[in-house]
């Protein structure tokens, strides 16, 4: 997504919070990837919020990043 979004643009990802632990492709990989991209100054974290009822009683997570 970083290659597609122009600098100054935003990337928004919303999903079930539980997916960070239950999906093998995300578990122990997604959060470190975002942190690494922040360290490399490719992304700036704008928001990382857990919110209720993303899907019928299941919490969601909203991740917003600005492309640098």
């Amino acid at each position: 997504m970083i290659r597609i979004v122009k600098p100054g643009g935003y990337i928004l990802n919303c999903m079930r919070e539980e997916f960070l632990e239950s999906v093998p492709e995300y578990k122990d990989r997604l959060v470190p990837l975002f942190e690494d991209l922040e360290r490399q100054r490719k992304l700036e974290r704008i928001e990382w919020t857990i919110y209720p009822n993303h899907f019928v009683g299941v919490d969601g997570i909203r991740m917003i990043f600005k492309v640098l």
Side-chain angles (χ1 to χ4, degrees), residues 1 4 9-10 13-14 16-17 26 33-34 36 38 44 47-48 50 54 58 61-64 67-68:
M1 288 188 276
I4 296 169
Y10 292 87
N13 184 29
C14 293
R16 292 182 186 190
E17 181 194 19
Y26 296 162
L33 172 65
F34 282 131
D36 186 48
E38 287 180 273
E44 175 187 353
E47 182 180 334
W48 189 284
I50 297 169
H54 173 78
V58 177
I61 186 164
R62 179 175 45 243
M63 297 171 263
I64 304 173
V67 177
L68 301 176

Side-chain angles (χ1 to χ4, degrees), residues 2-67:
I2 292 171
R3 290 188 302 247
I4 296 169
V5 177
K6 293 179 182 179
Y10 292 87
I11 296 171
L12 170 64
N13 184 29
C14 293
M15 63 183 186
R16 292 182 186 190
E17 181 194 19
E18 66 189 55
F19 286 172
L20 289 175
E21 293 298 320
S22 66
V23 175
E25 290 81 6
Y26 296 162
K27 185 176 180 173
D28 301 323
R29 295 175 67 191
L30 188 63
V31 172
L33 172 65
F34 282 131
E35 290 171 344
D36 186 48
L37 291 169
E38 287 180 273
R39 276 192 297 277
Q40 293 178 42
R41 302 285 299 144
K42 293 183 179 187
L43 289 177
E44 175 187 353
R45 183 185 301 199
I46 302 299
E47 182 180 334
W48 189 284
T49 304
I50 297 169
Y51 59 93
N53 294 317
H54 173 78
F55 180 79
V56 190
V58 177
D59 289 344
I61 186 164
R62 179 175 45 243
M63 297 171 263
I64 304 173
F65 296 92
K66 184 175 183 178
V67 177

